[in-house]
């Protein structure tokens, strides 16, 4: 049975997030983009009204929202600012490996405090020397009695260093590739764990991105999710889910690009009439609309598969790659509609382009998404 309607609860969630984006995010988005500061107050308010850490299961004190709920939320928040939404999205990314690979006791231990204390989680897979080849981890994990000792560094980690903990992927023996991988929860205050904030990003500047450094950082072995050899699969299963909210965020960017273009095209005159009356402008607007509607369908379908416990690997990759490319193109065309005004910060469209670019890179590049889809298509 096909049903495109949202439940009453989902509609409420959508209006809550929409109102939050209009009242709390849009008025401050340009300033945080300029200052590159972490929007602490905005995140605190989001937590207060229940928009943070929404995927924490009910048995661990959370709302246990589904993937479609997350996507509805994500589109609205990213409409306001993709960078600010990324902070919330990355916290769900840090939560997911614990939901996938953690015992119920571990879920309670690590996820309950996130909800009650309005704290963030983070996910640390990429390293300075490798991102796409997730099996080539260099961060070393040594099991020493009932402790794990970590040495190495992680790169491009959203919320890294400001989150309560990072789920760190490391290896007990690099020559074993995936078979030597481990996933370990490292609390922020762990001795030997430090971070360096990364500055001057092209876009999504409100989100906090860091390099994490581990120098003989010791944690109890009970902080490991699963066993030795499970880390890679936990990371892959996580990304197979969390790529979908990236698609949802991309749809928020596309929707904003479309609406800003419509508003500007109606108001701006050239050759004695509003530019909205020119067919070449209309074609751009129609193209953005086509992109938005098809990308949203792909996103919702992938989310529906997750929520119904069905295979979703290729569909998640498709949604993420497609929606982020639609968003980038829509933002690019929105700048074109705005002409010179689109190229300066006075209007929000140049920021949309800078923000959209990252969605084509993080949570696996769109090249990796294509590889994932092709693998699915080519296997026996
Ligand atoms: N879900 C569950 N298990 C998976 C999986 C998935 N999506 N993908 C692979 N595996 C399993 C395989 O079945 C295999 O298991 P066995 O050893 O039991 O047979 C094991 O993991 C190794 O798989 P494979 O040999 O396919 O691994 P590769 O090194 O070839 O993986 C890709 C290649 C590109 C798929 C992987 O490295 C990847 O996704 N890279 C992107 C990493 C990334 O997203 N980086 C940025 C993250 S920062 S947010």
């Amino acid at each position: 049975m096909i049903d495109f309607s949202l439940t009453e609860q989902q509609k409420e969630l959508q209006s809550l997030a929409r109102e939050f984006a209009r009242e709390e995010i849009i008025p401050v988005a340009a300033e945080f983009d300029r200052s590159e500061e972490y929007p602490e107050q905005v995140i605190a308010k989001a937590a207060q009204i229940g928009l943070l850490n929404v995927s924490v299961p009910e048995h661990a004190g959370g709302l246990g929202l589904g993937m479609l709920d997350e996507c509805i939320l994500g589109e609205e928040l990213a409409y306001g600012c993709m960078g600010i939404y990324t902070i919330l999205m990355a916290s769900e990314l840090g939560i997911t490996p614990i939901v996938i690979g953690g015992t119920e006791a571990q879920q309670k231990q690590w996820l309950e405090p996130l909800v009650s204390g309005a704290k963030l989680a983070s996910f640390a897979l990429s390293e300075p020397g490798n991102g796409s080849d997730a099996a080539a981890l260099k961060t070393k994990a040594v099991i020493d009695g009932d402790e794990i000792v970590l040495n190495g560094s992680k790169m491009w980690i959203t919320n890294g260093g400001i989150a309560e903990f990072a789920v760190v992927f490391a290896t007990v023996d690099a020559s074993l590739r995936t078979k030597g991988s481990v996933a370990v929860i490292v609390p922020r205050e762990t001795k030997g764990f430090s971070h360096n904030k990364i500055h001057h990003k092209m876009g999504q500047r409100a989100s906090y991105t860091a390099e994490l450094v581990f120098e003989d950082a010791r944690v109890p072995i009970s902080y490991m999710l699963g066993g030795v050899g499970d880390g890679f699969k936990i990371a892959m299963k996580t990304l197979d889910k969390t790529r979908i909210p990236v698609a949802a965020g991309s749809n928020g960017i596309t929707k904003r690009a479309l609406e800003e273009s419509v508003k500007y095209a109606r108001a701006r005159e050239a050759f004695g009439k509003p530019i909205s009356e020119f067919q070449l402008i209309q074609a751009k607007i129609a193209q953005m609309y086509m992109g938005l509607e098809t990308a949203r369908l792909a996103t919702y379908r992938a989310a529906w598969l997750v929520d119904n416990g069905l295979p979703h690997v290729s569909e998640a990759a498709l949604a993420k790659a497609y929606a982020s490319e639609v968003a980038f193109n829509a933002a690019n065309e929105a700048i074109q509609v705005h002409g010179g005004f689109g190229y300066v910060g006075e209007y929000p469209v140049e920021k949309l382009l800078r923000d959209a670019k990252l969605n084509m890179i993080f949570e696996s590049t769109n090249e990796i998404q294509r590889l994932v889809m092709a693998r699915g298509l080519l296997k026996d």
Side-chain angles (χ1 to χ4, degrees):
M1 191 63 141
I2 292 178
D3 184 353
F4 292 104
S5 53
L6 301 182
T7 63
E8 282 312 308
Q9 255 180 337
Q10 286 167 337
K11 285 185 201 156
E12 273 170 34
L13 184 68
Q14 191 173 46
S15 6
L16 183 72
R18 189 169 291 168
E19 199 182 312
F20 186 79
R22 298 209 180 190
E23 286 178 11
E24 306 290 346
I25 298 183
I26 292 176
V28 298
E31 186 44 42
F32 282 109
D33 176 57
R34 258 191 299 277
S35 68
E36 301 190 5
E37 273 171 29
Y38 171 68
E40 198 175 344
Q41 294 308 319
V42 181
I43 301 304
K45 281 185 193 160
Q48 249 170 33
I49 62 164
L51 298 180
L52 180 66
N53 300 329
V54 296
S55 64
V56 171
E58 284 174 291
H59 67 254
L63 294 172
L65 293 193
M67 186 53 79
L68 184 55
D69 303 329
E70 263 193 65
C71 289
I72 291 166
L73 193 78
E75 181 178 323
E76 297 303 328
L77 298 179
Y79 176 98
C81 174
M82 184 66 213
I84 292 178
Y85 167 54
T86 284
I87 298 166
L88 288 94
M89 187 179 79
S91 194
E92 310 292 350
L93 171 64
I95 288 166
T96 308
I98 302 178
V99 174
I100 289 173
T103 60
E104 207 165 307
Q106 284 175 320
Q107 291 176 18
K108 275 202 159 86
Q109 178 183 358
W110 297 104
L111 304 183
E112 257 177 12
L114 293 187
V115 178
S116 57
K119 301 280 171 46
L120 299 171
S122 67
F123 175 93
L125 178 64
S126 297
E127 298 183 344
N130 75 80
S132 291
D133 187 3
L137 296 172
K138 297 252 179 332
T139 300
K140 189 94 182 83
V142 173
I143 296 178
D144 181 17
D146 56 2
E147 290 184 319
I148 302 182
V149 189
L150 293 169
N151 278 286
S153 57
K154 293 285 168 183
M155 198 64 178
W156 316 122
I157 310 306
T158 308
N159 300 340
I162 58 166
E164 274 309 277
F165 59 79
V167 177
V168 179
F169 296 88
T171 179
V172 296
D173 179 350
S175 69
L176 296 176
R177 284 188 56 94
T178 62
K179 303 276 186 282
S181 63
V182 289
V184 186
I185 299 172
V186 184
R188 187 180 47 190
E189 68 276 10
T190 303
K191 194 163 165 270
F193 172 18
S194 59
H195 80 278
N196 304 306
K197 183 175 178 181
I198 295 166
H199 295 276
H200 311 306
K201 289 183 295 177
M202 176 183 178
Q204 302 203 19
R205 292 188 189 149
S207 76
Y208 194 99
T209 313
E211 176 192 19
L212 308 184
V213 180
F214 303 93
E215 292 163 308
D216 288 330
R218 271 177 191 271
V219 294
I221 202 158
S222 61
Y223 290 9
M224 182 161 70
L225 302 171
V228 172
D230 291 339
F232 181 83
K233 285 185 192 172
I234 293 174
M236 291 301 108
K237 286 183 190 164
T238 296
L239 292 167
D240 287 337
K241 289 193 160 64
T242 57
R243 282 167 186 154
I244 308 171
V246 179
S250 303
N251 298 339
I253 295 176
T254 305
K255 187 169 173 227
R256 184 77 183 272
L258 171 60
E259 289 186 7
E260 294 293 339
S261 298
V262 166
K263 191 164 71 180
Y264 187 82
R266 279 189 182 141
R268 170 78 187 192
E269 292 197 355
F271 304 99
K273 53 185 176 182
I275 63 169
S276 58
E277 290 184 23
F278 295 109
Q279 289 181 343
L280 287 177
I281 296 291
Q282 291 173 2
K284 291 185 194 305
I285 286 169
Q287 189 68 33
M288 289 180 211
Y289 171 69
M290 281 160 59
L292 176 60
E293 291 295 325
T294 51
R296 194 189 276 132
L297 280 177
T299 307
Y300 280 15
R301 172 147 186 273
W304 181 86
L305 291 170
V306 170
D307 287 342
N308 285 281
L310 295 166
H312 54 267
V313 175
S314 297
E315 290 82 358
L318 182 161
K320 191 271 195 188
Y322 181 66
S324 59
E325 287 164 21
V326 162
F328 185 80
N329 293 334
N332 191 27
E333 285 297 61
I335 295 173
Q336 200 67 20
V337 169
H338 284 69
F341 287 107
Y343 197 67
V344 292
E346 191 181 333
Y347 287 85
V349 288
E350 59 84 32
K351 174 176 177 300
L352 294 180
L353 184 84
R354 291 187 285 105
D355 287 353
K357 187 63 209 171
L358 185 53
N359 291 12
M360 297 165 68
I361 298 171
F362 66 8
E363 298 213 29
S364 309
T365 61
N366 284 2
E367 287 73 16
I368 291 289
Q369 314 298 337
R370 285 175 168 79
L371 184 149
V372 167
M373 285 183 266
R375 279 181 167 201
L377 294 165
L378 293 168
K379 77 174 178 216
D380 290 340

